[in-house]
Amino acid sequence: MKLFLRRFLLAVIFLCVASIAFDPVLKWSIRSVLQNLTGAKVDIGGVKTSLFHLSLDMRGFAMADPSEEMKNAVEFDELFFKIEASPLFSRKLIIDKAVMSGLSFYTDRKSSGRLAWQKRKTVPYALDFSDRLRYAVGAFPVASALKGNDLFSLPETDPDKLETVKLITGAEREYESAEEYLSSVKIKYASGGPLRWRLENEVLGQKNPVKKIKAAKEILGEAEKDRKKISAVIKKFENISSALRRARIKDTEAVRGAVSMPAFDSGAISGDIVGPVIFGGLGKLLNAVREISRFYPEKKSGFLVKRTGRGRTVEFPVEKPSTSAKPTFFIRNMILTGKKIGGTRIDFSGTAENISSQPYIYRKPARIGIKGGNGKTSVSVYASFDASENDFISDIAIKCDGLDMSGIRLGGDSFSILAERAAGAFSADITTSGNTVNAKIGLELSELKLNPEIKDLDGAMKEAVDDYIKGAENISANAVVTGTYEKPRAEIDSDLADGIIAAAKNAVRGSLEEKKDAAGAALEAALKPYEDKFALMKKRISSAETEVESFTGDLSSAGGVGAVKKNAWRKAP
């Protein structure tokens, strides 16, 4: 009897000590495991278990956002559940019903959520994936893209490609082929030249009328031939001159047209302005999905375990898994109630079901459904996670309206926009299968009061962009993401980027005209040597024509022409 009492007292003492020490140890264990998994600080107000009722009550839970140390990714006031007793003998933790209340997402912290030791091997995947998405759309710093001095660069003028130069080069070849003849004409009709000598001696100095008329006829005939030949050259150069005028207009338009308003990449600018918000949020969601997928084993052909009384373990494959088989850990149903998303109070409720450590045994996807709202605010969330087959498949649909997004900041360091007042609507449709990702994201901001903080712009450009942003009342942005976690492809657009581009273009139209004029002046300078060369060729041709005209004038004044005309019917002896 004494031995029995001694043992009974020892058992009571052990249970009392265990009940006192178990809760603090469990609290520490839960917090340590979650912090190691997420790399973020986890706070737990208290954990209370009941060994007699097999229940757990956790209060005051908050897990920091790994990428924003002053934000909580998730928090709740209380989590309560009871564990079924009989499965414990098979080393299975089965929870038929759990209740989580006071659930909130993305709320402010009073202290930093950064862990003091912070020894994770890799940065949170959300940050990495967000940066990859911004890289995928070619996000370009807005201020750099809009700098007025860099917008218009004068085109390099390559003379060989100008139509005007091509024509003048062709005219030069024409002139070279006629140059020898033109030089001979100048010599022929110059003082002391062959034809001038015949005029002076055979016409002007001839006393015999018959010989005089004969010589005049010959000289006039030769002069007329030269005149026609020179006229043909002149006509050809006149045609070239007409073509040059048209080519000059064409070259000028081409050079001035090359200095055009730049085609800003709306997607790249959107990626810099709204990309951090959209891709940052998407990155966090996909990070959570990826972390969830890592809880499941790689091998999906599950095994049921049968333990024999002698300690031997016999494993056999499940040929046709069904819902009658129970995994090692399973929550059949969890009731969710919440109160806050970001800075907005939203009363919502929903359920989470089929949460299992071995979904390939239970063969049903885990599901989460949340819905609620207050007045203009509303939230709807549906998520399904299916790991029963070879690939982990997720399907997520989120829609939030009327969120208070005051204080949100768009853009980066050099081009930042603070929303001092903003109401937001957010939607997301995301599916993943294994490593592939498909997502559509929408963001709308209304009732805006925006304060731009632009460092690298000045003058008319900054004033125009400032005025547009301050006057914006609504903003919408959409993004589409495909590809894989490692190599995503993304497209993004926003009316804010389109409006900024339009304002920037209006601000630089004056500079555009100045640059066009400068491009025209550069063309003038490039063409001047060629045009001077063409003018010299025309002058030399005209000089040859003048020599012939002067000669025939002298012949006419000597009476030779008149005599020829008067005696044209007569044949020279």
Side-chain angles (χ1 to χ4, degrees), residues 300-355:
K300 299 296 189 282
S301 57
F303 288 87
L304 289 178
V305 177
K306 174 68 176 177
R307 298 187 182 278
T308 66
R310 296 182 180 179
R312 291 185 296 112
T313 300
V314 179
E315 295 182 343
F316 57 94
V318 179
E319 298 293 338
K320 294 182 179 180
S322 66
T323 54
S324 61
K326 293 183 179 180
T328 303
F329 173 79
F330 180 61
I331 300 177
R332 182 171 287 107
N333 184 272
M334 179 184 293
I335 297 174
L336 306 172
T337 59
K339 59 183 179 180
K340 202 171 185 181
I341 298 178
T344 305
R345 172 78 188 200
I346 301 180
D347 294 324
F348 59 86
S349 61
T351 60
E353 58 185 14
N354 305 330
I355 301 172

Side-chain angles (χ1 to χ4, degrees), residues 499-521:
I500 289 174
I501 290 172
K505 287 183 176 181
N506 287 332
V508 298
R509 291 194 190 281
S511 298
L512 177 63
E513 290 303 317
E514 291 177 4
K515 293 290 185 179
K516 283 180 178 288
D517 292 341

Side-chain angles (χ1 to χ4, degrees), residues 25-101:
V25 171
L26 180 61
K27 173 183 172 181
W28 177 86
S29 299
I30 294 173
R31 185 174 59 189
S32 298
V33 169
L34 291 176
Q35 288 183 160
N36 283 321
L37 286 172
T38 64
K41 188 175 182 180
V42 174
D43 298 313
I44 300 175
V47 174
K48 185 177 181 181
T49 59
S50 173
L51 298 179
F52 297 102
H53 297 94
L54 295 178
S55 65
L56 180 143
D57 190 359
M58 183 188 301
R59 296 176 182 269
F61 178 91
M63 184 175 72
D65 188 325
S67 59
E68 295 185 57
E69 61 183 75
M70 296 308 294
K71 292 286 186 180
N72 282 325
V74 61
E75 62 176 283
F76 57 81
D77 294 338
E78 183 180 10
L79 170 63
F80 177 81
F81 58 82
K82 287 185 177 181
I83 302 170
E84 294 184 8
S86 58
L88 289 175
F89 295 101
S90 300
R91 298 187 181 182
K92 297 180 184 293
L93 184 64
I94 308 299
I95 300 169
D96 184 64
K97 183 178 181 182
V99 177
M100 182 181 290
S101 59

Side-chain angles (χ1 to χ4, degrees), residues 9-206:
L9 288 175
L10 288 173
V12 170
I13 293 171
F14 173 78
L15 289 174
C16 291
V17 172
S19 63
I20 295 173
F22 181 74
D23 290 351
V25 171
L26 180 61
K27 173 183 172 181
W28 177 86
S29 299
I30 294 173
R31 185 174 59 189
S32 298
V33 169
L34 291 176
Q35 288 183 160
N36 283 321
L37 286 172
T38 64
K41 188 175 182 180
V42 174
D43 298 313
I44 300 175
V47 174
K48 185 177 181 181
T49 59
S50 173
L51 298 179
F52 297 102
H53 297 94
L54 295 178
S55 65
L56 180 143
D57 190 359
M58 183 188 301
R59 296 176 182 269
F61 178 91
M63 184 175 72
D65 188 325
S67 59
E68 295 185 57
E69 61 183 75
M70 296 308 294
K71 292 286 186 180
N72 282 325
V74 61
E75 62 176 283
F76 57 81
D77 294 338
E78 183 180 10
L79 170 63
F80 177 81
F81 58 82
K82 287 185 177 181
I83 302 170
E84 294 184 8
S86 58
L88 289 175
F89 295 101
S90 300
R91 298 187 181 182
K92 297 180 184 293
L93 184 64
I94 308 299
I95 300 169
D96 184 64
K97 183 178 181 182
V99 177
M100 182 181 290
S101 59
L103 186 60
S104 299
F105 299 98
Y106 200 63
T107 54
D108 293 330
R109 290 181 60 90
K110 294 181 180 179
S111 60
S112 172
R114 181 180 177 83
L115 295 172
W117 45 271
Q118 198 70 37
K119 292 183 179 179
R120 291 196 73 190
K121 294 182 180 180
T122 59
V123 297
Y125 195 84
L127 296 179
D128 186 34
F129 188 71
S130 175
D131 290 340
R132 292 184 188 194
L133 289 173
R134 293 185 66 201
Y135 177 79
V137 298
F140 191 78
V142 182
S144 298
L146 298 181
K147 281 184 180 178
N149 293 335
D150 298 336
L151 291 180
F152 317 108
S153 57
L154 291 180
E156 294 184 5
T157 305
D158 185 355
D160 293 336
K161 295 181 180 180
L162 297 173
E163 290 296 324
T164 305
V165 173
K166 291 177 182 178
L167 285 172
I168 293 175
T169 302
E172 191 172 11
R173 288 193 294 268
E174 292 286 345
Y175 179 80
E176 287 174 354
S177 64
E179 186 176 21
E180 184 177 351
Y181 167 72
L182 294 173
S183 298
S184 68
V185 167
K186 293 193 69 175
I187 294 172
K188 185 191 297 185
Y189 292 94
S191 178
L195 213 57
R196 178 68 67 176
W197 182 90
R198 288 189 66 188
L199 173 64
E200 292 174 353
N201 292 278
E202 296 180 8
V203 176
L204 299 179
Q206 181 59 253

